[in-house]
Amino acid sequence: MSTYGPAQPRDIVTGEAVALELRLAQIPTRALALMIDMFLQVSLLFVLFLLLNLGGGSLDSAAGAAFGLVIVVSVLVGYPLVLETLTRGKTVGKQALGLRAVRDDGGSIRFRHALARALIEVVEIWLLIGVPALFCSLANSRGKRFGDLAAGTVVIRERVPAKAGGLAAMPTELAAWAASADVGRVPDDLALAARQFLVRASELSPDVRWSMSQRLADDIRPWLAPPPPRGYPERLLAAVVAERRQREELRMASQAAA
């Protein structure tokens, strides 16, 4: 089942593409994102307990303890669970640092992944002050904590500077089509996968390069209007990435001028 929407393209990363598309987040960056989230959670707990004390004067001790437990569970588990489910892998801290939690195959996480991560986070981060998470991340080649191991996820960097010479050039035969095409509907994570493929395509064997470009092009085509001309899939990916980059540069230039 696709995670992108009604057009139902296939998962964008399988087999050989895993190492290509995942830019792993470093432990210090993850720690800083976690501190941002923990600060927000503690602040939310303070406000909710303050409201409970102000409005719970008629509650007996058992009822007050029950409400307090609900508040703690809702904030410690509900905060990462809801945000990572709705944003496909981001919390406020991850958003601020340009990080995202994804499945091991690079696809977007779902409710069950976010739930496993959130439940184990309570133990390894909150109850054990992050010590198990730190040692697990140091021992794991992909920087995974126990929550990642249980959920089958990994945290990646989304905002990665482009390599010198790695920017996709617009294919001449697709320039006219791209100028009038609606390329903004392509999901960001799918466009990111295409860009990263193009950056590293020269490092791949010919067979892997062809199969990956074909798979990505097939996933992108349903999001394009009007449909692109038929041709080499890698050139279609280059046209989409180059056009999206050009439009983003124009938008940023317009904002700067304003």
Side-chain angles (χ1 to χ4, degrees):
M1 181 64 67
S2 167
T3 59
Y4 294 116
Q8 297 186 346
R10 296 181 300 277
D11 288 340
I12 61 173
V13 188
T14 55
E16 309 90 345
V18 173
L20 172 69
E21 296 181 12
L22 300 187
R23 306 290 185 92
L24 300 180
Q26 301 299 311
I27 293 177
T29 308
R30 293 188 63 178
L32 182 56
L34 178 61
M35 286 190 287
I36 294 174
D37 290 324
M38 292 180 71
F39 173 78
L40 294 176
Q41 287 172 281
V42 170
S43 300
L44 185 56
L45 283 173
F46 176 80
V47 172
L48 292 177
F49 274 111
L50 181 62
L51 294 176
L52 178 62
N53 290 333
L54 293 177
S58 60
L59 298 176
D60 58 30
S61 58
F67 275 107
L69 180 60
V70 170
I71 288 174
V72 171
V73 172
S74 298
V75 172
L76 298 190
V77 177
Y79 171 90
L81 173 61
V82 172
L83 288 180
E84 289 191 350
T85 300
L86 294 180
T87 64
R88 295 188 296 180
K90 293 183 180 181
T91 58
V92 175
K94 289 186 180 69
Q95 176 69 36
L97 274 297
L99 308 180
R100 180 192 293 273
V102 299
R103 302 195 310 264
D104 283 335
D105 64 2
S108 299
I109 69 172
R110 301 178 183 175
F111 175 84
R112 67 178 183 272
H113 306 101
L115 178 61
R117 289 170 52 82
L119 289 176
I120 296 179
E121 181 178 300
V122 172
V123 178
E124 64 175 337
I125 301 296
W126 291 97
L127 296 183
L128 300 177
I129 61 174
V131 174
L134 175 60
F135 281 99
C136 184
S137 298
L138 290 172
N140 188 275
S141 61
R142 306 180 84 184
K144 291 188 174 193
R145 62 177 178 87
F146 285 104
D148 292 311
L149 294 175
T153 59
V154 66
V155 178
I156 64 170
R157 296 178 293 153
E158 285 195 314
R159 297 200 290 264
V160 181
K163 293 182 178 179
L167 298 180
M170 174 65 70
T172 305
E173 72 275 14
L174 293 176
W177 166 82
S180 60
D182 182 5
V183 297
R185 295 175 61 244
V186 177
D188 290 341
D189 47 359
L190 185 53
L192 176 64
R195 182 179 66 82
Q196 292 177 346
F197 164 78
L198 293 169
V199 168
R200 298 190 180 182
S202 60
E203 304 172 10
L204 304 175
S205 66
D207 289 344
V208 172
R209 180 172 180 173
W210 172 260
S211 64
M212 287 180 60
S213 65
Q214 185 69 58
R215 192 159 59 239
L216 282 167
D218 288 344
D219 286 345
I220 283 180
R221 282 193 185 95
W223 299 95
L224 301 174
R230 287 289 172 178
Y232 285 104
E234 189 170 326
R235 298 184 71 78
L236 171 61
L237 300 179
V240 171
V241 171
E243 184 64 25
R244 284 171 61 95
R245 184 181 70 247
Q246 181 179 359
R247 294 182 187 182
E248 180 64 16
E249 290 173 350
L250 290 175
R251 183 187 66 82
M252 293 176 64
S254 177
Q255 288 182 346

